[in-house]
């Protein structure tokens, strides 16, 4: 089956979801795939494009998740497909560290230009967000000669050993997987719905903790997601990030923005840092970068990135030519199709529809985010306590009705919306109708 934007842009439910073919495949999964690899919605996909995913039983699902903020340009975006096809026919791999190729340079130059700040920059390419974060920490330690790394409450940075140490949440990520890498310290971030503090107050608290417990001169890096993703789509109060960045500048600390989830038009800016004009020393990127192919990057100040001895960074597959070709296609699509603007439009639709629902349902405690990265925190009316039960019931309801939505949050009580930026308005409204019916059915 051929995917891409020419797929009919409709919700079509022709069997139970998952249907019989998916159920059969899911049985094979249980016998072949580690039980440790979880699946949110076991509808097996055969094609995707625009704003839909088609499953093995012929159901057409509205995609409000983009494979976790990856297919922002849509599945099988034409420019991605064309670039990948011509690249796989030319060559599929050489290893950039053995015999290099121009596409890697194209991606590096593009990221150096697109990321915030006009200073000289350098880029290194990797395969996954976690690998990018690992390398950002390696580089920051090498460049500063310091060891301590500061991360935040509700932070998520990946599932490898070092990145698990940076990640805040135990279940399901860290449980029984320790011991974790040392010299990682966690401080409170800014969570306006819960802490009620201004950005400046929250930053002062974090900075006081760093000063008192570590001493700024011992810190190699501070790493933060400009909007916390897995932790619950928490956008910090304004001023928080810039005050933190200023503190880092004053103490020679490398300020790393982990834009793995927020990057590439998702938040209505090319990067979430652009919103407040925050200029990080280093940025990690992955998810939305290559239209679904595995590619990740670290871009940073030239003097920091070049501090590492030649041969100190790399990996067999990092910057794979096919993934680089896909990234060029995805970046062209973002720029040529106005997807930054489109992310803002999508956000407007969500904020107005969800805002109207919040008037009706006191279970909706908070609606937040930026652009097409939208979180809805569900609470128990009266107490305001996290309502994880309603959150999972709502997700299950939507899945059964052919709408793919994702959950998030330290307390498991946030629905997150990450639609492809190519989704048409009528599917957004239809998906939100299902969400509304799902809340009504479960409160
Ligand atoms: C997903 C994510 C990662 C990890 O990326 P992987 O490609 O899954 O390794 C790191 N940081 C953030 C902010 C993420 O959202």
């Amino acid at each position: 089956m051929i995917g891409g934007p020419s797929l009919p842009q409709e919700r079509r439910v022709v069997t139970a979801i998952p249907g019989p073919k998916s159920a059969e495949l899911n049985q094979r999964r249980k016998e072949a795939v580690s039980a440790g690899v979880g699946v949110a919605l076991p509808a097996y996909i055969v094609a995707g494009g625009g704003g839909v995913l088609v499953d093995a039983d012929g159901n057409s699902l509205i995609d409000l998740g983009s494979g976790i903020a990856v297919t922002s340009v849509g599945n099988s975006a034409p420019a991605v497909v064309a670039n990948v096809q011509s690249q796989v026919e030319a060559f599929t791999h050489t290893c950039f560290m053995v015999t290099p190729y121009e596409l890697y340079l194209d991606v590096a130059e593009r990221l150096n230009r697109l990321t915030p700040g006009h200073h000289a920059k350098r880029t290194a390419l990797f395969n996954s967000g976690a690998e990018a974060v690992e390398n950002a920490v390696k580089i920051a330690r090498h460049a500063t000669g310091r060891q301590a790394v500061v991360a935040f409450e509700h932070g998520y940075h990946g599932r490898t050993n070092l990145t698990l140490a940076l990640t805040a949440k135990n279940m399901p990520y860290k449980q029984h997987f320790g011991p974790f890498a040392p010299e990682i310290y966690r401080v409170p971030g800014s969570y306006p719905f819960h802490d009620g503090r201004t950005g400046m107050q929250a930053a002062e608290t974090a900075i006081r903790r760093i000063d008192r417990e570590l001493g700024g001169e011992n810190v190699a890096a501070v790493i933060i997601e400009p909007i916390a993703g897995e932790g619950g789509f928490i956008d910090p109060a304004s001023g928080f990030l810039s005050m933190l960045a200023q503190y880092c500048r004053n103490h020679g600390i490398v300020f790393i923005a982990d834009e793995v989830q927020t990057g590439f038009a998702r938040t209505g800016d090319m990067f979430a840092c652009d919103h407040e004009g925050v200029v990080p020393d280093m940025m990690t990127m992955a998810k939305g970068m290559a239209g679904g192919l595995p590619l990740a990057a670290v871009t940073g100040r030239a003097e920091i990135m070049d501090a590492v001895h030649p041969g100190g960074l790399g990996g067999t597959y990092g910057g794979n030519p096919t993934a680089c070709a896909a990234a060029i296609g995805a970046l062209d699509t973002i720029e040529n199709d106005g997807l930054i603007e489109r992310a803002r439009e999508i956000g407007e639709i969500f904020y107005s529809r969800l805002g109207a629902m919040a008037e009706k349902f006191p279970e909706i405690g908070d609606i937040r985010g930026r652009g097409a990265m939208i979180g809805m925190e569900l609470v128990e009316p009266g107490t305001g306590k996290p309502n994880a039960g309603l959150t999972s019931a709502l997700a299950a309801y939507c899945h059964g009705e052919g709408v793919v939505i994702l959950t998030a949050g330290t307390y498991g009580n946030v629905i997150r919306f990450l639609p492809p930026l190519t989704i048409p308005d009528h599917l957004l409204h239809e998906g939100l109708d299902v969400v509304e019916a799902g809340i009504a059915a479960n409160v």
Side-chain angles (χ1 to χ4, degrees):
M1 192 166 187
I2 304 247
S6 60
L7 277 179
Q9 296 298 300
E10 60 181 10
R11 181 170 69 109
R12 190 175 66 240
V13 179
V14 295
T15 68
I17 297 176
K21 291 212 174 98
S22 280
E24 212 176 296
L25 293 167
N26 210 39
Q27 194 50 42
R28 277 173 59 194
R29 171 174 76 92
K30 286 177 183 157
E31 284 156 26
V33 179
S34 165
V37 182
V39 170
L41 167 54
Y44 284 71
I45 301 306
V46 296
V52 299
L53 295 167
V54 177
D55 76 9
D57 293 285
N59 298 299
S60 175
L61 317 175
I62 298 177
D63 183 9
L64 300 183
S66 301
I68 319 186
V70 169
T71 51
S72 299
V73 296
N75 258 293
S76 301
V80 172
V81 172
N83 285 7
V84 166
Q85 275 174 346
S86 61
Q87 181 54 40
V88 288
E89 283 166 13
F91 65 96
T92 46
H93 173 84
T94 62
C95 185
F96 187 78
M97 304 181 303
V98 178
T99 47
Y101 39 86
E102 186 175 357
L103 270 170
Y104 191 117
L105 314 183
D106 293 339
V107 173
E109 287 165 359
R110 194 87 169 244
L111 295 179
N112 293 346
R113 182 161 54 76
L114 286 174
T115 50
H118 299 295
H119 49 277
K121 296 176 203 157
R122 303 281 188 269
T123 288
L125 299 179
F126 303 97
N127 302 293
S128 69
E131 204 189 343
V133 170
E134 291 250 353
N135 278 279
V137 170
K138 278 169 64 178
I139 297 164
R141 283 179 169 156
H142 198 303
T144 59
R146 307 174 185 176
Q147 294 186 350
V149 175
V150 172
F152 289 82
E153 288 175 5
H154 310 289
Y156 180 88
H157 300 285
R159 293 176 182 258
T160 57
N161 187 267
L162 172 62
T163 59
L164 275 181
L166 296 166
T167 289
K169 190 177 176 181
N170 182 47
M171 274 300 277
Y173 307 123
K174 302 173 80 160
Q175 172 84 342
H176 298 326
F177 290 133
F180 301 110
E183 288 302 317
I184 307 290
Y185 301 89
R186 191 173 314 287
V187 301
S190 166
Y191 194 160
F193 178 60
H194 282 208
D195 63 31
R197 292 179 303 181
T198 65
M200 199 184 278
Q201 290 165 334
E204 276 167 359
T205 303
I207 288 166
R208 214 177 311 122
R209 283 276 296 275
I210 298 169
D211 269 338
R212 197 167 54 213
E213 295 180 21
L214 301 170
E217 74 277 15
N218 300 313
V219 177
V222 165
I223 180 162
I224 189 161
E225 303 161 82
I227 299 177
E230 305 298 309
F233 280 33
I234 308 158
D235 51 332
S238 70
F240 175 78
L241 288 175
S242 26
M243 198 165 158
L244 210 56
Q246 184 59 49
Y247 172 79
C248 290
R249 257 192 306 281
N250 294 346
H251 292 80
I253 300 168
V254 179
F255 183 70
I256 307 172
D258 182 353
E259 293 241 17
V260 167
Q261 190 156 166
T262 49
F264 302 104
R266 174 54 54 188
T267 63
D269 287 289
M270 186 55 91
F271 294 101
C273 279
D274 294 332
H275 181 70
E276 268 190 26
V278 171
V279 178
D281 300 307
M282 211 187 270
M283 194 180 267
T284 52
M285 293 158 274
K287 291 187 168 97
M289 182 170 160
L293 274 82
L295 187 65
V298 179
T299 298
R301 290 185 186 280
E303 63 276 18
I304 297 174
M305 300 295 291
D306 284 342
V308 180
H309 52 277
L313 302 175
T316 306
Y317 292 112
N320 170 272
T322 310
C324 285
I328 296 297
L331 293 171
D332 285 347
T333 304
I334 290 170
E335 291 183 341
N336 297 340
D337 294 2
L339 294 187
I340 291 177
E341 191 47 45
R342 178 64 187 148
R344 294 184 188 193
E345 284 171 13
I346 289 172
E348 291 310 314
I349 291 174
F350 271 90
Y351 301 122
S352 93
R353 289 283 315 261
L354 295 174
M357 287 182 218
E359 307 268 295
K360 283 194 234 172
F361 301 109
E363 287 80 4
I364 300 180
D366 193 24
I367 297 157
R368 57 177 180 250
R370 280 208 303 273
M373 180 170 185
I374 304 121
M376 174 169 77
E377 180 157 350
L378 299 175
V379 298
E380 287 173 4
T383 67
K385 287 202 178 114
N387 198 336
L390 174 60
T391 308
S392 51
L394 176 57
Y397 178 94
C398 291
H399 294 170
E401 295 292 323
V403 179
V404 182
I405 60 171
L406 306 171
T407 61
T410 301
Y411 315 108
N413 69 325
V414 177
I415 297 283
R416 53 169 155 172
F417 300 102
L418 292 162
L421 306 178
T422 50
I423 193 170
D425 283 0
H426 76 271
L427 288 184
L428 294 177
H429 283 292
E430 193 174 342
L432 283 161
D433 291 342
V434 171
V435 168
E436 181 157 9
I439 299 174
N442 284 286
V443 297

